[in-house]
């Protein structure tokens, strides 16, 4: 039950992220004007992350070991984008202050899902291996 709940939350997070980042990249629905001073590296990292979130949601449902690895990789991507954002800001680039909190939140959520994936999927696999018939 827990993997399905986590997959649902992660998929919703992925779809929302995909919608918002792609709307900003392709200027759909006049989003660019509403978002203000966005930093492209952050938007592209979010866009790529949204696709990884959707694959990870599938991984949760199917109890795939690669799920936590993909989420860790996504965290690394977001941390790298955040570093790029900090460089952008330190070089005098314009930005929205809400981006700082949003990136910290997104990194924390992604790391949290990576930890949950590692714990729940390994626990499920261990339980299944213990319940498997011994063919020796």
């Amino acid at each position: 039950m827990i993997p399905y709940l986590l997959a649902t939350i992660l998929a919703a997070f992925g779809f929302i992220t995909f919608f918002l980042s792609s709307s900003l990249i392709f200027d759909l629905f006049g989003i660019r004007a509403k978002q203000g001073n966005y930093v492209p590296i952050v938007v592209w990292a979010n866009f790529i992350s949204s696709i990884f979130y959707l694959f990870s949601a599938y991984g949760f449902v199917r109890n795939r070991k690669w799920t936590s690895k993909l989420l860790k990789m996504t965290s690394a991507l977001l941390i790298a984008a955040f570093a790029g954002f900090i460089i952008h800001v330190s070089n005098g680039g314009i930005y929205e202050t809400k981006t700082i909190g949003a990136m910290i939140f997104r990194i924390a959520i992604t790391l949290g899902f990576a930890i949950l994936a590692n714990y729940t999927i390994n626990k499920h696999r261990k339980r299944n291996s213990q319940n498997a018939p011994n063919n020796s």
Side-chain angles (χ1 to χ4, degrees):
M1 182 74 163
I2 290 176
Y4 290 101
L5 176 63
L6 294 172
T8 302
I9 295 167
L10 189 57
F13 192 60
F15 280 121
I16 290 168
T17 302
F18 182 81
F19 173 76
L20 292 174
S21 59
S22 62
S23 295
L24 195 53
I25 290 168
F26 302 113
D27 197 19
L28 305 175
F29 316 109
I31 288 282
R32 282 187 189 164
K34 295 175 186 168
Q35 285 300 313
N37 300 315
Y38 66 92
V39 179
I41 191 170
V42 172
V43 177
W44 278 101
N46 287 340
F47 178 75
I48 294 165
S49 295
S50 71
I51 295 166
F52 290 167
Y53 292 144
L54 296 175
F55 279 110
S56 297
Y58 171 79
F60 263 113
V61 172
R62 304 295 296 167
N63 288 305
R64 301 292 185 216
K65 280 175 44 174
W66 50 258
T67 305
S68 65
K69 291 177 186 172
L70 182 58
L71 287 166
K72 289 174 189 173
M73 188 174 74
T74 305
S75 298
L77 169 68
L78 291 169
I79 290 167
F82 194 51
F85 170 78
I86 291 169
I87 291 168
H88 171 80
V89 171
S90 65
N91 287 332
I94 56 175
Y95 67 100
E96 297 290 327
T97 55
K98 64 184 176 183
T99 305
I100 298 167
M103 286 299 290
I104 292 169
F105 173 77
R106 182 171 301 283
I107 291 166
I109 290 293
T110 307
L111 284 171
F113 271 108
I115 292 166
L116 287 169
N118 191 48
Y119 175 75
T120 59
I121 291 169
N122 284 341
K123 184 178 176 183
H124 180 267
R125 287 177 162 273
K126 189 175 185 180
R127 187 173 352 128
N128 283 349
S129 69
Q130 289 174 347
N131 293 337
N134 190 354
N135 292 332
S136 22

